[in-house]
Amino acid sequence: MSVWMVRARAPSFIIPITTLRIGNGNGDVKGLRLPLLSNKSWQFQLQLELQQRNKEKKKRQNVTISYTNSSSGGDSASAALELEVNEIRESCKMWKWKGQYSINYLVSSTPNSHPDSPPLLLVHGFGASIPHWRRNIGTLAKSYTVYAIDLLGFGASDKPAGYSYTMEAWAQLILDFLDEVVQKPTVLIGNSVGSLACVIAASGLVLLNCAGGMNNKAIVDDWRIKLLLPLLWFIDFLLNQRPIASAIFERVKQRETLRNILLSIYANKESVDETLVEIIREPANEEGALDAFVSIVTGPPGPNPVQLMPSISIPVLVLWGDEDPFTPLDGPVGKYFSSLPSKLSNVKLIVLEGVGHCPHDDRPELVHEKLLPWLAETFNF
């Protein structure tokens, strides 16, 4: 995880940024998955589903958060507050980016949120979406106004046909969201490629287990990646063949496949539950998801952290899970960040033991334990 402050484009803000690394505004009723039926059948099906939702709401009696038992120890004060996924989805709003793309986002706050504290913007990683922060939003909103966003191509945001995804485009999306929606100096909290997008948006770097790029073609002085480049290019060729790409994608988004992938990147295996699998799987079934997957995997990796970090002079907090198989601490990116505290006085590194690629969801209470004091100290709250 990293935290820093940078100056955004006009209107000019000083933006503190925290990055956790670890990825339809058409008036339709959100979240409904209805079969193609006749008008009467469709209306009946719609009525049944809405009635079921109303029953569920009454059962919850407006209680939107509860203590999760994901904590593996420690006192109750460090336990994470977990929001229900349905509550998150029903609380989301839509914002039009560039006047044409619907971007899904959430705003959450409590009466205890300090009015002078900076808002927080949570940016998910590859394949994830706003509900991936369900174990963080409730805790962070106790002191801050929390925003969360689905990047274009993910979650409930648009997945436009033929769109060429780049890290720079996501960075521009974040900048425009800050200017048009948040309109205040903001702390960015990103995960995986989301954290790298935050870094690019701010012309600097702040990461927790930061990604080296948008995909595996990012080269960060790693001879292993250079050696594999011909294979990666061949995979790109295969993915650009629609039938092959469709078959691979169908395989990847199967529940058991996703569960096995998640188990390989989470150190706390108890955090890999059915809710998490569905958070990743549901958006993958939407129209445009395959195109987004192919574009992201086969596209240019974009700027890497080593290129961006030298421009950062503001305070940086780096949280790194020591059991991350994607960006291991002993890999090129991990080694680079491990070396920074001895070179740059503005960088602080904390290694999180027993934590995988998605620290905020893997061990949320441990992330909060390190993040909240840093925020309070940095912004004097």
Side-chain angles (χ1 to χ4, degrees):
M1 163 177 274
S2 340
V3 184
W4 40 293
M5 300 181 66
V6 295
R7 189 173 298 276
R9 59 181 177 77
S12 182
F13 298 136
I14 296 298
I15 304 180
I17 296 185
T18 305
T19 325
L20 301 184
R21 146 99 182 116
I22 322 224
N24 58 31
N26 298 324
D28 297 335
V29 180
K30 289 184 60 180
L32 297 181
R33 298 290 182 270
L34 302 177
L36 294 176
L37 305 169
S38 66
N39 282 342
K40 289 184 178 180
S41 297
W42 185 90
Q43 291 171 359
F44 178 69
Q45 181 75 13
L46 176 61
Q47 184 178 12
L48 286 179
E49 181 140 358
L50 290 176
Q51 287 176 350
Q52 182 61 31
R53 284 194 175 192
N54 288 333
K55 288 180 181 179
E56 291 175 355
K57 282 187 177 181
K58 288 179 181 179
K59 286 181 181 179
R60 288 193 289 266
Q61 297 179 333
N62 297 322
V63 177
T64 59
I65 58 178
S66 60
Y67 278 102
T68 177
N69 60 4
S70 62
S71 176
S72 59
D75 56 39
S76 59
S78 66
L81 290 171
E82 182 170 341
L83 293 172
E84 294 183 17
V85 172
N86 285 340
E87 292 292 343
I88 291 176
R89 288 174 175 158
E90 292 170 6
S91 299
C92 285
K93 304 177 181 181
M94 283 292 179
W95 163 65
K96 280 288 185 180
W97 182 43
K98 296 185 175 182
Q100 59 181 322
Y101 303 122
S102 292
I103 302 300
N104 189 51
Y105 76 96
L106 171 79
V107 185
S108 180
S109 63
T110 67
N112 294 327
S113 299
H114 197 291
D116 296 324
S117 63
L120 313 179
L121 173 60
L122 311 181
V123 185
H124 63 81
F126 180 80
S129 56
I130 293 171
H132 202 206
W133 301 99
R134 70 199 184 285
R135 292 171 176 154
N136 315 106
I137 294 171
T139 297
L140 298 176
K142 290 168 65 178
S143 302
Y144 302 89
T145 297
V146 177
Y147 291 81
I149 190 172
D150 281 344
L151 294 173
L152 188 72
F154 293 113
S157 289
D158 278 353
K159 303 167 185 64
Y163 189 88
S164 296
Y165 293 88
T166 65
M167 293 302 308
E168 292 87 346
W170 285 331
Q172 189 62 53
L173 166 61
I174 292 170
L175 282 174
D176 291 343
F177 184 81
L178 293 175
D179 282 354
E180 297 178 24
V181 180
V182 183
Q183 299 183 347
K184 290 181 65 177
T186 303
V187 176
L188 304 185
I189 302 180
N191 162 227
S192 189
V193 294
S195 67
L196 188 54
C198 291
V199 170
I200 299 170
S203 301
L205 179 62
V206 214
L207 316 146
L208 180 146
N209 294 51
C210 179
M214 188 171 73
N215 51 50
N216 286 333
K217 293 190 294 296
I219 300 175
V220 189
D221 296 328
D222 188 350
W223 65 269
R224 292 166 294 186
I225 297 296
K226 294 178 181 178
L227 188 64
L228 288 173
L229 271 180
L231 175 60
L232 296 177
W233 289 332
F234 179 65
I235 292 174
D236 286 357
F237 169 77
L238 293 178
L239 288 176
N240 280 306
Q241 315 306 309
R242 186 76 179 191
I244 297 176
S246 180
I248 293 174
F249 191 58
E250 286 299 319
R251 176 67 177 176
V252 168
K253 68 180 185 180
Q254 295 302 310
R255 282 190 178 86
E256 284 309 307
T257 303
L258 286 176
R259 189 192 319 281
N260 289 334
I261 293 173
L262 291 166
L263 285 170
S264 73
I265 64 177
Y266 273 62
N268 179 15
K269 308 306 180 185
E270 293 181 359
S271 291
V272 181
D273 53 18
E274 285 300 318
T275 299
L276 175 60
V277 172
E278 285 305 311
I279 286 173
I280 305 298
R281 185 175 182 273
E282 184 174 352
N285 287 320
E286 296 183 357
E287 184 177 356
L290 171 60
D291 290 339
F293 170 76
V294 172
S295 178
I296 292 167
V297 174
T298 64
N304 65 53
V306 176
Q307 296 170 323
L308 298 169
M309 194 61 199
S311 65
I312 300 298
S313 59
I314 40 152
V316 177
L317 171 64
V318 181
L319 302 182
W320 209 281
D322 68 345
E323 294 188 22
D324 179 4
F326 281 1
T327 51
L329 198 58
D330 62 354
V333 180
K335 286 181 178 178
Y336 176 73
F337 280 101
S338 296
S339 70
L340 287 181
S342 63
K343 301 174 182 177
L344 301 175
S345 60
N346 61 308
V347 177
K348 179 179 181 180
L349 170 70
I350 300 177
V351 176
L352 304 177
E353 296 184 2
V355 178
H357 182 65
C358 308
H360 66 287
D361 193 47
D362 195 332
R363 302 279 184 180
E365 71 288 342
L366 184 56
V367 168
H368 299 157
E369 178 185 310
K370 307 301 180 184
L371 171 60
L372 290 172
W374 187 91
L375 288 172
E377 179 181 355
T378 302
F379 304 109
N380 298 316
F381 292 119

